[in-house]
Amino acid sequence: MQQAKKEGGMEHERESVEEDVAPHVIVVDDDPRLRRLLQRYLFEHGFRVSVAASAAEARQTLEGIQPDAMVLDVTMPGENGLELTRALRDEGQELPILLLTARGEPADRITGLEAGADDYLGKPFEPRELLLRLKAHLRRHQPAPATDNLRIVRLGDKEFDPVRLILSGPNGTIHLTGGEAALLSVLARRPNDVFSREEIAKALDMAEIGERAVDVQVTRLRRRIEPDPKEPRYLHTIRGRGYVLKPGL
C-alpha cells in the first residue's frame, strides 16, 4: 500500500494501478482511528480514497475532486453529517452518500434519507458490509446497458432516460440523487404497473430499513417530477398496494 500523503490539509491514498478507473470515495469522520481503518480497507479493495475530519475539510476536498461516493459520519462537531448532506443536495451534488452513526434506530435512518442520503449504516459495523453497500450504490448509479432497449419516459415537460439515468426538463438536466434515480429507474422499467413497497424496497436494497424508507424516496422523487407534489399526476399511490408511474403529457 502506498503511504498516505497530505494534500491541501487532506490525507489522500491512491491506488497506483488503474487510478483513472478505480472508484473514488471520500470518507468524512472526526474519528481518526475509523478514518484510517476505512481508508486502508477500501484502498485494499480497489478504491481510491480521500479522507476528511470535518464537513469543512470535505468541502475543501470537493472543490478539487468529484468523488464517486461519500461515507459520512452524522455526529461530527460543527456542521454535522445531516446538515452537510442537505447542503450538498441543495447544491446539486448527486453522488451516493452513505451515512454512519451510532444512532441506528429506524427513525434516525428515515431522517437521514429525508436529508438526501442514499443509505444509513449504524455503528459498530462490519467493514465488509460497508463495502458491499458502496458497491451496490455505485452499480445503481451507473447507466444501464444499452442492450436493455429501454424507452424514454415522458412526464409532462420532463423526460427520463432509464439507460443514462438522466431526468431533463425545459431548462436542462434536473439533478437526481442516486436513490431518486434508482427509484425512478425501477418504476420506469414497467410504467403503469403497480409496485408494492416491499418490491421497491428489495430493488433498492432498503428492505432492512423498512418500507417507510420507500415512502421517503417517493416523496423526494415527486418534488423532482411533479408540477404539484401534493397532487401527483405521474407517480401515484395505490392504496393498499403500492406505487405506479403513469407517464404522460
Side-chain angles (χ1 to χ4, degrees):
M1 184 188 305
Q2 293 179 337
Q3 195 173 29
K5 58 181 178 180
K6 292 189 176 180
E7 188 174 303
M10 298 281 133
E11 290 173 317
H12 294 272
E13 193 166 64
R14 298 180 174 87
E15 191 174 15
S16 59
V17 179
E18 298 183 328
E19 180 174 342
D20 58 338
V21 297
H24 193 155
V25 177
I26 177 171
V27 176
V28 188
D29 198 301
D30 62 324
D31 182 343
R33 179 178 174 278
L34 184 58
R35 284 201 310 275
R36 289 193 297 269
L37 184 153
L38 291 180
Q39 185 180 38
R40 183 179 304 110
Y41 184 82
L42 293 174
F43 179 80
E44 290 173 348
H45 285 81
F47 287 84
R48 289 175 290 151
V49 186
S50 298
V51 297
S54 66
E57 287 191 1
R59 288 181 179 280
Q60 188 178 17
T61 297
L62 291 172
E63 289 177 1
I65 64 170
Q66 180 57 57
D68 298 292
M70 175 180 287
V71 177
L72 175 61
D73 185 35
V74 170
T75 54
M76 297 185 297
E79 185 179 17
N80 65 37
L82 293 176
E83 293 167 340
L84 179 58
T85 298
R86 292 191 187 98
L88 292 176
R89 294 312 189 205
D90 288 344
E91 295 165 9
Q93 286 279 358
E94 304 170 24
L95 80 168
I97 298 176
L98 192 155
L99 294 178
L100 301 177
T101 181
R103 297 179 299 185
E105 294 299 319
D108 296 318
R109 298 184 180 193
I110 295 301
T111 299
L113 294 174
E114 289 175 334
D118 296 279
D119 207 344
Y120 203 104
L121 194 57
K123 297 178 181 179
F125 59 88
E126 288 292 332
R128 178 159 176 77
E129 181 179 2
L130 172 66
L131 177 68
L132 293 174
R133 288 178 182 243
L134 270 178
K135 288 183 175 180
H137 286 293
L138 289 170
R139 282 195 303 270
R140 285 203 297 269
H141 210 62
Q142 293 298 316
T147 54
D148 278 9
N149 197 28
L150 299 175
R151 296 182 179 180
I152 298 293
V153 175
R154 288 293 304 275
L155 302 166
D157 61 354
K158 303 177 181 66
E159 292 185 347
F160 178 65
D161 185 337
V163 174
R164 297 188 297 155
L165 300 180
I166 293 177
L167 178 67
S168 57
N171 298 319
T173 300
I174 299 169
H175 295 293
L176 295 175
T177 67
E180 292 163 358
L183 172 59
L184 187 52
S185 177
V186 168
L187 298 173
R189 288 169 184 269
R190 284 165 40 200
N192 300 307
D193 281 0
V194 178
F195 288 78
S196 69
R197 287 176 173 82
E198 181 181 9
E199 188 176 2
I200 295 172
K202 288 182 179 178
L204 300 183
D205 291 331
M206 289 183 173
E208 181 183 339
I209 303 177
E211 296 178 8
R212 170 64 180 139
V214 174
D215 298 335
V216 171
Q217 289 290 11
V218 167
T219 298
R220 292 185 58 84
L221 181 57
R222 280 177 172 155
R223 294 173 189 163
R224 309 290 191 186
I225 67 174
E226 299 285 359
D228 181 359
K230 295 182 180 179
E231 296 290 337
R233 182 182 300 177
Y234 308 112
L235 181 44
H236 297 264
T237 301
I238 307 301
R239 188 177 298 276
R241 297 180 61 193
Y243 295 104
V244 58
L245 185 71
K246 296 185 177 181
L249 299 176

